[in-house]
């Protein structure tokens, strides 16, 4: 099985800088903005985007994580817990919330994150940022901010490596 590097460390860095600029344009600045990274790699990408926005605007955008495990529809014992499944030090009501994920594939993870957010809050608007969009959607979900569109087959695997969890920064198809 061959593997191809799609994004190396510098390409990931440039991509996240572009996404940060696009988010600021979309929101017309950083006011009322919040970032929620989907565990695990999405949370680290959200932190990196937060740092980029801070470099651009000199403002620290509230950033947190969301764990959608209990909202997934592909598990047999689906149960929704009453505790908030996201952790952020700000109220999400009336904010523009950007969900950050590493790879957009079927759309089911994003659907679960929408369910989790809307169970506990009523944001003004919700956007989606993803490092890689590989296609094959099963739900009508589209990312507002895409690092790279990578058409793949179902047999291929897209692996995102980040130094926070892995030994390097790269996006590789196998």
């Amino acid at each position: 099985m061959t593997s191809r590097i799609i994004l190396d460390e510098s390409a990931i860095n440039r991509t996240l800088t572009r996404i940060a600029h696009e988010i600021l344009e979309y929101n017309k600045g950083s006011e009322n903005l919040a970032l929620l990274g989907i565990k695990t790699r999405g949370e680290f990408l959200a932190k990196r985007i937060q740092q980029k926005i801070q470099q651009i605007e000199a403002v620290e955008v509230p950033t947190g994580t969301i764990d959608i495990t209990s909202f997934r529809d592909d598990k047999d014992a689906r149960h929704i817990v009453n505790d908030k499944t996201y952790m952020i030090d700000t109220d999400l009501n009336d904010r523009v919330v950007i969900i950050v994920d590493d790879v957009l594939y079927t759309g089911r993870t994003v659907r679960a994150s929408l369910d989790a957010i809307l169970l506990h809050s009523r944001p003004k608007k919700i956007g989606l940022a993803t490092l890689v969009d590989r296609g094959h959607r099963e739900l009508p979900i589209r990312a507002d901010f895409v690092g790279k569109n990578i058409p793949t087959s179902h047999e291929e695997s897209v692996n995102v490596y980040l130094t926070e969890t892995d030994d390097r920064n790269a996006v590789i198809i196998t």
Side-chain angles (χ1 to χ4, degrees), residues 35-44 46 63-72 83-88 92 97-102 108-121 123 126-129:
L35 304 173
L36 271 183
I38 298 175
K39 282 189 170 282
T40 295
R41 286 171 184 80
E43 70 183 296
F44 299 119
T63 301
T65 62
I66 185 166
D67 182 352
I68 52 91
T69 306
S70 63
F71 287 84
R72 295 189 61 92
D83 294 341
K84 282 190 179 176
T85 53
Y86 56 85
M87 297 184 321
I88 189 167
L92 296 182
V97 176
I98 306 297
I99 299 168
V100 181
D101 201 5
D102 58 346
R108 294 193 175 279
T109 299
V110 175
R111 192 232 15 104
S113 64
L114 290 168
D115 287 351
I117 293 167
L118 295 173
L119 181 65
H120 299 289
S121 62
I126 300 176
L128 174 61

mmCIF file of all heavy atoms in Angstrom, residues 35-44 46 63-72 83-88 92 97-102 108-121 123 126-129:
data_model
loop_
_atom_site.group_PDB
_atom_site.id
_atom_site.type_symbol
_atom_site.label_atom_id
_atom_site.label_comp_id
_atom_site.label_asym_id
_atom_site.label_seq_id
_atom_site.Cartn_x
_atom_site.Cartn_y
_atom_site.Cartn_z
ATOM 1 N N LEU A 35 -14.691 29.316 18.905
ATOM 2 C CA LEU A 35 -14.224 28.130 18.185
ATOM 3 C C LEU A 35 -14.431 26.901 19.054
ATOM 4 O O LEU A 35 -14.106 26.918 20.240
ATOM 5 C CB LEU A 35 -12.733 28.263 17.850
ATOM 6 C CG LEU A 35 -12.291 29.490 17.061
ATOM 7 C CD1 LEU A 35 -10.769 29.545 16.970
ATOM 8 C CD2 LEU A 35 -12.907 29.493 15.678
ATOM 9 N N LEU A 36 -14.972 25.835 18.454
ATOM 10 C CA LEU A 36 -15.144 24.561 19.154
ATOM 11 C C LEU A 36 -14.492 23.465 18.329
ATOM 12 O O LEU A 36 -14.964 23.160 17.231
ATOM 13 C CB LEU A 36 -16.630 24.230 19.333
ATOM 14 C CG LEU A 36 -17.351 24.720 20.564
ATOM 15 C CD1 LEU A 36 -18.790 24.221 20.562
ATOM 16 C CD2 LEU A 36 -16.653 24.311 21.843
ATOM 17 N N GLY A 37 -13.424 22.886 18.853
ATOM 18 C CA GLY A 37 -12.735 21.809 18.153
ATOM 19 C C GLY A 37 -13.268 20.454 18.572
ATOM 20 O O GLY A 37 -13.412 20.174 19.755
ATOM 21 N N ILE A 38 -13.565 19.623 17.579
ATOM 22 C CA ILE A 38 -14.063 18.274 17.856
ATOM 23 C C ILE A 38 -12.884 17.414 18.291
ATOM 24 O O ILE A 38 -11.857 17.358 17.623
ATOM 25 C CB ILE A 38 -14.749 17.665 16.614
ATOM 26 C CG1 ILE A 38 -15.964 18.512 16.212
ATOM 27 C CG2 ILE A 38 -15.166 16.224 16.893
ATOM 28 C CD1 ILE A 38 -16.636 18.072 14.925
ATOM 29 N N LYS A 39 -13.060 16.738 19.448
ATOM 30 C CA LYS A 39 -11.984 15.879 19.966
ATOM 31 C C LYS A 39 -11.635 14.831 18.930
ATOM 32 O O LYS A 39 -12.520 14.297 18.286
ATOM 33 C CB LYS A 39 -12.443 15.176 21.260
ATOM 34 C CG LYS A 39 -12.400 16.083 22.459
ATOM 35 C CD LYS A 39 -12.647 15.260 23.706
ATOM 36 C CE LYS A 39 -12.386 16.031 24.940
ATOM 37 N NZ LYS A 39 -10.988 16.177 25.286
ATOM 38 N N THR A 40 -10.432 14.516 18.695
ATOM 39 C CA THR A 40 -9.241 14.940 19.392
ATOM 40 C C THR A 40 -8.462 15.948 18.552
ATOM 41 O O THR A 40 -8.056 16.996 19.050
ATOM 42 C CB THR A 40 -8.354 13.717 19.702
ATOM 43 O OG1 THR A 40 -9.025 12.871 20.599
ATOM 44 C CG2 THR A 40 -7.019 14.095 20.287
ATOM 45 N N ARG A 41 -8.248 15.672 17.305
ATOM 46 C CA ARG A 41 -7.392 16.568 16.521
ATOM 47 C C ARG A 41 -8.049 17.900 16.210
ATOM 48 O O ARG A 41 -7.366 18.915 16.066
ATOM 49 C CB ARG A 41 -6.893 15.864 15.268
ATOM 50 C CG ARG A 41 -5.807 14.852 15.629
ATOM 51 C CD ARG A 41 -5.393 13.952 14.489
ATOM 52 N NE ARG A 41 -4.421 12.968 14.953
ATOM 53 C CZ ARG A 41 -4.739 11.862 15.611
ATOM 54 N NH1 ARG A 41 -5.996 11.589 15.891
ATOM 55 N NH2 ARG A 41 -3.800 11.030 16.007
ATOM 56 N N GLY A 42 -9.361 17.935 16.125
ATOM 57 C CA GLY A 42 -10.058 19.198 15.890
ATOM 58 C C GLY A 42 -9.819 20.207 16.999
ATOM 59 O O GLY A 42 -9.734 21.412 16.756
ATOM 60 N N GLU A 43 -9.678 19.716 18.239
ATOM 61 C CA GLU A 43 -9.432 20.640 19.355
ATOM 62 C C GLU A 43 -8.067 21.310 19.221
ATOM 63 O O GLU A 43 -7.907 22.489 19.530
ATOM 64 C CB GLU A 43 -9.589 19.955 20.708
ATOM 65 C CG GLU A 43 -8.527 18.955 21.058
ATOM 66 C CD GLU A 43 -8.786 18.266 22.388
ATOM 67 O OE1 GLU A 43 -8.795 18.930 23.444
ATOM 68 O OE2 GLU A 43 -8.976 17.022 22.365
ATOM 69 N N PHE A 44 -7.073 20.570 18.716
ATOM 70 C CA PHE A 44 -5.736 21.157 18.535
ATOM 71 C C PHE A 44 -5.712 22.105 17.345
ATOM 72 O O PHE A 44 -5.039 23.136 17.384
ATOM 73 C CB PHE A 44 -4.680 20.058 18.407
ATOM 74 C CG PHE A 44 -4.605 19.194 19.631
ATOM 75 C CD1 PHE A 44 -4.859 17.842 19.558
ATOM 76 C CD2 PHE A 44 -4.303 19.748 20.871
ATOM 77 C CE1 PHE A 44 -4.811 17.040 20.691
ATOM 78 C CE2 PHE A 44 -4.257 18.958 22.022
ATOM 79 C CZ PHE A 44 -4.506 17.607 21.925
ATOM 80 N N ALA A 46 -8.300 23.863 16.400
ATOM 81 C CA ALA A 46 -9.015 25.056 16.879
ATOM 82 C C ALA A 46 -8.070 25.952 17.676
ATOM 83 O O ALA A 46 -8.091 27.185 17.520
ATOM 84 C CB ALA A 46 -10.220 24.657 17.732
ATOM 85 N N THR A 63 -12.147 29.629 22.895
ATOM 86 C CA THR A 63 -11.954 28.368 22.185
ATOM 87 C C THR A 63 -12.132 27.222 23.168
ATOM 88 O O THR A 63 -11.655 27.280 24.293
ATOM 89 C CB THR A 63 -10.543 28.322 21.556
ATOM 90 O OG1 THR A 63 -10.417 29.428 20.666
ATOM 91 C CG2 THR A 63 -10.311 27.042 20.790
ATOM 92 N N GLY A 64 -12.836 26.195 22.712
ATOM 93 C CA GLY A 64 -13.070 25.038 23.568
ATOM 94 C C GLY A 64 -13.088 23.763 22.758
ATOM 95 O O GLY A 64 -12.747 23.741 21.575
ATOM 96 N N THR A 65 -13.518 22.687 23.413
ATOM 97 C CA THR A 65 -13.573 21.377 22.768
ATOM 98 C C THR A 65 -14.979 20.813 22.862
ATOM 99 O O THR A 65 -15.755 21.174 23.747
ATOM 100 C CB THR A 65 -12.590 20.388 23.419
ATOM 101 O OG1 THR A 65 -12.972 20.207 24.782
ATOM 102 C CG2 THR A 65 -11.170 20.887 23.352
ATOM 103 N N ILE A 66 -15.280 19.920 21.947
ATOM 104 C CA ILE A 66 -16.568 19.234 21.960
ATOM 105 C C ILE A 66 -16.315 17.738 21.778
ATOM 106 O O ILE A 66 -15.519 17.329 20.943
ATOM 107 C CB ILE A 66 -17.520 19.807 20.879
ATOM 108 C CG1 ILE A 66 -18.896 19.166 20.974
ATOM 109 C CG2 ILE A 66 -16.932 19.689 19.489
ATOM 110 C CD1 ILE A 66 -19.963 19.894 20.192
ATOM 111 N N ASP A 67 -16.976 16.956 22.621
ATOM 112 C CA ASP A 67 -16.875 15.496 22.556
ATOM 113 C C ASP A 67 -18.253 14.988 22.147
ATOM 114 O O ASP A 67 -19.214 15.096 22.906
ATOM 115 C CB ASP A 67 -16.466 14.945 23.917
ATOM 116 C CG ASP A 67 -16.305 13.434 23.912
ATOM 117 O OD1 ASP A 67 -16.652 12.786 22.898
ATOM 118 O OD2 ASP A 67 -15.843 12.893 24.925
ATOM 119 N N ILE A 68 -18.347 14.426 20.952
ATOM 120 C CA ILE A 68 -19.657 14.041 20.409
ATOM 121 C C ILE A 68 -19.941 12.546 20.568
ATOM 122 O O ILE A 68 -20.912 12.040 20.006
ATOM 123 C CB ILE A 68 -19.766 14.456 18.926
ATOM 124 C CG1 ILE A 68 -18.577 13.951 18.074
ATOM 125 C CG2 ILE A 68 -19.824 15.948 18.804
ATOM 126 C CD1 ILE A 68 -18.797 12.640 17.473
ATOM 127 N N THR A 69 -19.146 11.868 21.385
ATOM 128 C CA THR A 69 -19.273 10.414 21.524
ATOM 129 C C THR A 69 -20.699 9.972 21.803
ATOM 130 O O THR A 69 -21.212 9.059 21.158
ATOM 131 C CB THR A 69 -18.346 9.904 22.654
ATOM 132 O OG1 THR A 69 -17.027 10.355 22.391
ATOM 133 C CG2 THR A 69 -18.366 8.394 22.731
ATOM 134 N N SER A 70 -21.386 10.613 22.737
ATOM 135 C CA SER A 70 -22.736 10.172 23.096
ATOM 136 C C SER A 70 -23.798 10.640 22.100
ATOM 137 O O SER A 70 -24.964 10.293 22.237
ATOM 138 C CB SER A 70 -23.091 10.652 24.504
ATOM 139 O OG SER A 70 -23.105 12.056 24.556
ATOM 140 N N PHE A 71 -23.408 11.403 21.089
ATOM 141 C CA PHE A 71 -24.352 11.880 20.083
ATOM 142 C C PHE A 71 -24.204 11.161 18.751
ATOM 143 O O PHE A 71 -24.926 11.460 17.810
ATOM 144 C CB PHE A 71 -24.164 13.395 19.865
ATOM 145 C CG PHE A 71 -24.685 14.209 21.002
ATOM 146 C CD1 PHE A 71 -23.903 14.435 22.114
ATOM 147 C CD2 PHE A 71 -25.966 14.739 20.969
ATOM 148 C CE1 PHE A 71 -24.384 15.183 23.180
ATOM 149 C CE2 PHE A 71 -26.453 15.487 22.027
ATOM 150 C CZ PHE A 71 -25.657 15.706 23.133
ATOM 151 N N ARG A 72 -23.278 10.223 18.670
ATOM 152 C CA ARG A 72 -23.055 9.517 17.411
ATOM 153 C C ARG A 72 -24.240 8.595 17.114
ATOM 154 O O ARG A 72 -24.788 7.973 18.008
ATOM 155 C CB ARG A 72 -21.763 8.713 17.474
ATOM 156 C CG ARG A 72 -20.528 9.614 17.602
ATOM 157 C CD ARG A 72 -19.273 8.816 17.438
ATOM 158 N NE ARG A 72 -19.214 8.196 16.128
ATOM 159 C CZ ARG A 72 -18.627 8.747 15.063
ATOM 160 N NH1 ARG A 72 -18.063 9.908 15.157
ATOM 161 N NH2 ARG A 72 -18.608 8.114 13.914
ATOM 162 N N ASP A 83 -25.071 16.327 30.834
ATOM 163 C CA ASP A 83 -23.930 17.216 30.978
ATOM 164 C C ASP A 83 -23.594 17.812 29.620
ATOM 165 O O ASP A 83 -23.809 17.198 28.589
ATOM 166 C CB ASP A 83 -22.704 16.449 31.483
ATOM 167 C CG ASP A 83 -22.899 15.941 32.893
ATOM 168 O OD1 ASP A 83 -23.790 16.456 33.591
ATOM 169 O OD2 ASP A 83 -22.157 15.025 33.289
ATOM 170 N N LYS A 84 -23.055 19.016 29.651
ATOM 171 C CA LYS A 84 -22.612 19.609 28.395
ATOM 172 C C LYS A 84 -21.491 18.758 27.829
ATOM 173 O O LYS A 84 -20.596 18.332 28.541
ATOM 174 C CB LYS A 84 -22.115 21.035 28.617
ATOM 175 C CG LYS A 84 -23.224 22.033 28.767
ATOM 176 C CD LYS A 84 -22.653 23.430 28.734
ATOM 177 C CE LYS A 84 -23.776 24.430 28.869
ATOM 178 N NZ LYS A 84 -23.259 25.798 28.929
ATOM 179 N N THR A 85 -21.543 18.534 26.537
ATOM 180 C CA THR A 85 -20.522 17.741 25.885
ATOM 181 C C THR A 85 -19.439 18.631 25.308
ATOM 182 O O THR A 85 -18.518 18.140 24.689
ATOM 183 C CB THR A 85 -21.135 16.890 24.771
ATOM 184 O OG1 THR A 85 -21.874 17.746 23.914
ATOM 185 C CG2 THR A 85 -22.041 15.830 25.352
ATOM 186 N N TYR A 86 -19.592 19.923 25.508
ATOM 187 C CA TYR A 86 -18.528 20.821 25.082
ATOM 188 C C TYR A 86 -18.023 21.598 26.280
ATOM 189 O O TYR A 86 -18.734 21.817 27.246
ATOM 190 C CB TYR A 86 -18.983 21.769 23.962
ATOM 191 C CG TYR A 86 -20.197 22.611 24.274
ATOM 192 C CD1 TYR A 86 -20.081 23.823 24.962
ATOM 193 C CD2 TYR A 86 -21.457 22.228 23.856
ATOM 194 C CE1 TYR A 86 -21.183 24.599 25.239
ATOM 195 C CE2 TYR A 86 -22.568 23.004 24.118
ATOM 196 C CZ TYR A 86 -22.427 24.189 24.809
ATOM 197 O OH TYR A 86 -23.514 24.962 25.076
ATOM 198 N N MET A 87 -16.746 21.966 26.212
ATOM 199 C CA MET A 87 -16.113 22.718 27.297
ATOM 200 C C MET A 87 -15.542 23.997 26.710
ATOM 201 O O MET A 87 -14.658 23.947 25.852
ATOM 202 C CB MET A 87 -15.006 21.891 27.952
ATOM 203 C CG MET A 87 -15.525 20.626 28.604
ATOM 204 S SD MET A 87 -14.283 19.652 29.489
ATOM 205 C CE MET A 87 -12.852 19.753 28.472
ATOM 206 N N ILE A 88 -16.099 25.120 27.152
ATOM 207 C CA ILE A 88 -15.613 26.424 26.715
ATOM 208 C C ILE A 88 -15.979 27.421 27.806
ATOM 209 O O ILE A 88 -17.034 27.294 28.444
ATOM 210 C CB ILE A 88 -16.207 26.820 25.338
ATOM 211 C CG1 ILE A 88 -15.534 28.085 24.789
ATOM 212 C CG2 ILE A 88 -17.710 26.935 25.399
ATOM 213 C CD1 ILE A 88 -15.826 28.355 23.325
ATOM 214 N N LEU A 92 -22.343 30.241 24.619
ATOM 215 C CA LEU A 92 -22.426 30.167 23.156
ATOM 216 C C LEU A 92 -23.690 30.798 22.596
ATOM 217 O O LEU A 92 -23.801 30.966 21.379
ATOM 218 C CB LEU A 92 -22.320 28.711 22.695
ATOM 219 C CG LEU A 92 -20.999 28.009 22.989
ATOM 220 C CD1 LEU A 92 -21.018 26.589 22.438
ATOM 221 C CD2 LEU A 92 -19.828 28.792 22.438
ATOM 222 N N VAL A 97 -20.429 30.450 16.229
ATOM 223 C CA VAL A 97 -19.624 29.308 16.646
ATOM 224 C C VAL A 97 -19.065 28.621 15.406
ATOM 225 O O VAL A 97 -19.816 28.285 14.487
ATOM 226 C CB VAL A 97 -20.459 28.305 17.471
ATOM 227 C CG1 VAL A 97 -19.654 27.066 17.816
ATOM 228 C CG2 VAL A 97 -20.996 28.966 18.731
ATOM 229 N N ILE A 98 -17.757 28.437 15.393
ATOM 230 C CA ILE A 98 -17.119 27.704 14.304
ATOM 231 C C ILE A 98 -16.688 26.351 14.848
ATOM 232 O O ILE A 98 -15.867 26.268 15.765
ATOM 233 C CB ILE A 98 -15.886 28.453 13.746
ATOM 234 C CG1 ILE A 98 -16.245 29.884 13.325
ATOM 235 C CG2 ILE A 98 -15.263 27.660 12.585
ATOM 236 C CD1 ILE A 98 -17.252 30.011 12.211
ATOM 237 N N ILE A 99 -17.265 25.286 14.297
ATOM 238 C CA ILE A 99 -16.864 23.924 14.633
ATOM 239 C C ILE A 99 -15.613 23.623 13.812
ATOM 240 O O ILE A 99 -15.576 23.903 12.609
ATOM 241 C CB ILE A 99 -17.978 22.914 14.287
ATOM 242 C CG1 ILE A 99 -19.251 23.213 15.074
ATOM 243 C CG2 ILE A 99 -17.506 21.481 14.526
ATOM 244 C CD1 ILE A 99 -20.471 22.444 14.576
ATOM 245 N N VAL A 100 -14.588 23.061 14.465
ATOM 246 C CA VAL A 100 -13.339 22.745 13.778
ATOM 247 C C VAL A 100 -13.105 21.238 13.854
ATOM 248 O O VAL A 100 -13.139 20.659 14.937
ATOM 249 C CB VAL A 100 -12.145 23.499 14.413
ATOM 250 C CG1 VAL A 100 -10.859 23.178 13.658
ATOM 251 C CG2 VAL A 100 -12.398 25.002 14.435
ATOM 252 N N ASP A 101 -12.879 20.630 12.680
ATOM 253 C CA ASP A 101 -12.596 19.192 12.626
ATOM 254 C C ASP A 101 -11.414 18.964 11.693
ATOM 255 O O ASP A 101 -11.114 19.805 10.847
ATOM 256 C CB ASP A 101 -13.828 18.424 12.145
ATOM 257 C CG ASP A 101 -13.808 16.956 12.538
ATOM 258 O OD1 ASP A 101 -12.879 16.533 13.264
ATOM 259 O OD2 ASP A 101 -14.722 16.228 12.126
ATOM 260 N N ASP A 102 -10.761 17.825 11.842
ATOM 261 C CA ASP A 102 -9.604 17.554 10.994
ATOM 262 C C ASP A 102 -10.006 17.063 9.614
ATOM 263 O O ASP A 102 -9.504 17.559 8.612
ATOM 264 C CB ASP A 102 -8.630 16.584 11.675
ATOM 265 C CG ASP A 102 -9.244 15.247 12.062
ATOM 266 O OD1 ASP A 102 -10.483 15.110 12.056
ATOM 267 O OD2 ASP A 102 -8.455 14.325 12.396
ATOM 268 N N ARG A 108 -21.384 12.763 9.480
ATOM 269 C CA ARG A 108 -22.053 12.290 10.696
ATOM 270 C C ARG A 108 -21.443 12.880 11.969
ATOM 271 O O ARG A 108 -22.160 13.147 12.927
ATOM 272 C CB ARG A 108 -22.071 10.770 10.740
ATOM 273 C CG ARG A 108 -22.936 10.209 9.606
ATOM 274 C CD ARG A 108 -23.259 8.750 9.756
ATOM 275 N NE ARG A 108 -24.174 8.346 8.692
ATOM 276 C CZ ARG A 108 -25.489 8.545 8.713
ATOM 277 N NH1 ARG A 108 -26.040 9.147 9.732
ATOM 278 N NH2 ARG A 108 -26.240 8.152 7.709
ATOM 279 N N THR A 109 -20.149 13.088 11.999
ATOM 280 C CA THR A 109 -19.513 13.710 13.168
ATOM 281 C C THR A 109 -20.007 15.147 13.329
ATOM 282 O O THR A 109 -20.299 15.592 14.435
ATOM 283 C CB THR A 109 -17.977 13.686 13.025
ATOM 284 O OG1 THR A 109 -17.557 12.326 12.948
ATOM 285 C CG2 THR A 109 -17.303 14.368 14.199
ATOM 286 N N VAL A 110 -20.115 15.858 12.230
ATOM 287 C CA VAL A 110 -20.600 17.240 12.270
ATOM 288 C C VAL A 110 -22.056 17.274 12.720
ATOM 289 O O VAL A 110 -22.444 18.102 13.545
ATOM 290 C CB VAL A 110 -20.426 17.927 10.901
ATOM 291 C CG1 VAL A 110 -21.035 19.313 10.916
ATOM 292 C CG2 VAL A 110 -18.960 17.984 10.525
ATOM 293 N N ARG A 111 -22.874 16.358 12.215
ATOM 294 C CA ARG A 111 -24.273 16.291 12.639
ATOM 295 C C ARG A 111 -24.365 16.061 14.140
ATOM 296 O O ARG A 111 -25.147 16.704 14.843
ATOM 297 C CB ARG A 111 -25.028 15.177 11.886
ATOM 298 C CG ARG A 111 -26.537 15.276 12.086
ATOM 299 C CD ARG A 111 -27.264 14.013 12.565
ATOM 300 N NE ARG A 111 -26.516 12.938 13.099
ATOM 301 C CZ ARG A 111 -26.439 12.658 14.415
ATOM 302 N NH1 ARG A 111 -27.027 13.418 15.315
ATOM 303 N NH2 ARG A 111 -25.761 11.624 14.835
ATOM 304 N N ALA A 112 -23.534 15.169 14.660
ATOM 305 C CA ALA A 112 -23.529 14.900 16.091
ATOM 306 C C ALA A 112 -23.096 16.138 16.883
ATOM 307 O O ALA A 112 -23.659 16.434 17.940
ATOM 308 C CB ALA A 112 -22.603 13.721 16.398
ATOM 309 N N SER A 113 -22.129 16.880 16.365
ATOM 310 C CA SER A 113 -21.678 18.087 17.079
ATOM 311 C C SER A 113 -22.763 19.166 17.060
ATOM 312 O O SER A 113 -22.945 19.882 18.047
ATOM 313 C CB SER A 113 -20.361 18.602 16.516
ATOM 314 O OG SER A 113 -20.504 19.016 15.186
ATOM 315 N N LEU A 114 -23.498 19.268 15.972
ATOM 316 C CA LEU A 114 -24.626 20.211 15.919
ATOM 317 C C LEU A 114 -25.676 19.845 16.970
ATOM 318 O O LEU A 114 -26.177 20.718 17.690
ATOM 319 C CB LEU A 114 -25.268 20.225 14.529
ATOM 320 C CG LEU A 114 -24.446 20.844 13.411
ATOM 321 C CD1 LEU A 114 -25.075 20.535 12.058
ATOM 322 C CD2 LEU A 114 -24.304 22.339 13.604
ATOM 323 N N ASP A 115 -26.005 18.563 17.069
ATOM 324 C CA ASP A 115 -26.956 18.106 18.085
ATOM 325 C C ASP A 115 -26.478 18.472 19.486
ATOM 326 O O ASP A 115 -27.250 18.960 20.314
ATOM 327 C CB ASP A 115 -27.154 16.586 18.010
ATOM 328 C CG ASP A 115 -27.977 16.141 16.808
ATOM 329 O OD1 ASP A 115 -28.554 17.009 16.114
ATOM 330 O OD2 ASP A 115 -28.038 14.918 16.565
ATOM 331 N N ALA A 116 -25.198 18.238 19.760
ATOM 332 C CA ALA A 116 -24.640 18.512 21.090
ATOM 333 C C ALA A 116 -24.695 20.004 21.415
ATOM 334 O O ALA A 116 -25.075 20.393 22.527
ATOM 335 C CB ALA A 116 -23.201 18.004 21.165
ATOM 336 N N ILE A 117 -24.334 20.843 20.470
ATOM 337 C CA ILE A 117 -24.346 22.296 20.698
ATOM 338 C C ILE A 117 -25.771 22.801 20.899
ATOM 339 O O ILE A 117 -26.060 23.538 21.844
ATOM 340 C CB ILE A 117 -23.666 23.036 19.525
ATOM 341 C CG1 ILE A 117 -22.171 22.718 19.486
ATOM 342 C CG2 ILE A 117 -23.899 24.549 19.625
ATOM 343 C CD1 ILE A 117 -21.486 23.137 18.189
ATOM 344 N N LEU A 118 -26.669 22.386 20.011
ATOM 345 C CA LEU A 118 -28.040 22.903 20.054
ATOM 346 C C LEU A 118 -28.849 22.373 21.232
ATOM 347 O O LEU A 118 -29.860 22.962 21.602
ATOM 348 C CB LEU A 118 -28.745 22.618 18.733
ATOM 349 C CG LEU A 118 -28.138 23.358 17.534
ATOM 350 C CD1 LEU A 118 -28.772 22.892 16.231
ATOM 351 C CD2 LEU A 118 -28.276 24.867 17.694
ATOM 352 N N LEU A 119 -28.401 21.288 21.850
ATOM 353 C CA LEU A 119 -29.072 20.787 23.052
ATOM 354 C C LEU A 119 -28.912 21.773 24.206
ATOM 355 O O LEU A 119 -29.798 21.891 25.049
ATOM 356 C CB LEU A 119 -28.499 19.416 23.445
ATOM 357 C CG LEU A 119 -29.119 18.766 24.677
ATOM 358 C CD1 LEU A 119 -30.584 18.418 24.422
ATOM 359 C CD2 LEU A 119 -28.333 17.516 25.050
ATOM 360 N N HIS A 120 -27.789 22.492 24.235
ATOM 361 C CA HIS A 120 -27.466 23.348 25.366
ATOM 362 C C HIS A 120 -27.437 24.841 25.070
ATOM 363 O O HIS A 120 -27.336 25.643 25.993
ATOM 364 C CB HIS A 120 -26.101 22.938 25.939
ATOM 365 C CG HIS A 120 -26.055 21.529 26.430
ATOM 366 N ND1 HIS A 120 -26.713 21.117 27.566
ATOM 367 C CD2 HIS A 120 -25.458 20.428 25.926
ATOM 368 C CE1 HIS A 120 -26.510 19.834 27.744
ATOM 369 N NE2 HIS A 120 -25.746 19.390 26.766
ATOM 370 N N SER A 121 -27.469 25.232 23.800
ATOM 371 C CA SER A 121 -27.344 26.659 23.501
ATOM 372 C C SER A 121 -28.006 26.995 22.167
ATOM 373 O O SER A 121 -28.378 26.106 21.402
ATOM 374 C CB SER A 121 -25.866 27.065 23.467
ATOM 375 O OG SER A 121 -25.195 26.377 22.442
ATOM 376 N N PRO A 123 -26.728 29.329 19.352
ATOM 377 C CA PRO A 123 -25.808 30.273 18.715
ATOM 378 C C PRO A 123 -26.513 31.105 17.645
ATOM 379 O O PRO A 123 -27.532 30.689 17.090
ATOM 380 C CB PRO A 123 -24.754 29.369 18.071
ATOM 381 C CG PRO A 123 -24.874 28.062 18.769
ATOM 382 C CD PRO A 123 -26.319 27.945 19.156
ATOM 383 N N ILE A 126 -23.735 28.973 13.114
ATOM 384 C CA ILE A 126 -22.723 27.937 13.276
ATOM 385 C C ILE A 126 -22.052 27.721 11.933
ATOM 386 O O ILE A 126 -22.729 27.532 10.916
ATOM 387 C CB ILE A 126 -23.326 26.602 13.780
ATOM 388 C CG1 ILE A 126 -23.997 26.787 15.142
ATOM 389 C CG2 ILE A 126 -22.247 25.519 13.863
ATOM 390 C CD1 ILE A 126 -24.710 25.547 15.663
ATOM 391 N N GLY A 127 -20.721 27.751 11.932
ATOM 392 C CA GLY A 127 -19.941 27.479 10.728
ATOM 393 C C GLY A 127 -19.085 26.250 10.952
ATOM 394 O O GLY A 127 -18.958 25.754 12.075
ATOM 395 N N LEU A 128 -18.487 25.766 9.868
ATOM 396 C CA LEU A 128 -17.662 24.564 9.937
ATOM 397 C C LEU A 128 -16.344 24.800 9.222
ATOM 398 O O LEU A 128 -16.324 25.231 8.068
ATOM 399 C CB LEU A 128 -18.394 23.379 9.296
ATOM 400 C CG LEU A 128 -17.616 22.075 9.153
ATOM 401 C CD1 LEU A 128 -17.186 21.527 10.507
ATOM 402 C CD2 LEU A 128 -18.448 21.037 8.396
ATOM 403 N N ALA A 129 -15.251 24.516 9.929
ATOM 404 C CA ALA A 129 -13.907 24.569 9.350
ATOM 405 C C ALA A 129 -13.304 23.177 9.423
ATOM 406 O O ALA A 129 -13.391 22.507 10.451
ATOM 407 C CB ALA A 129 -13.031 25.558 10.121
#
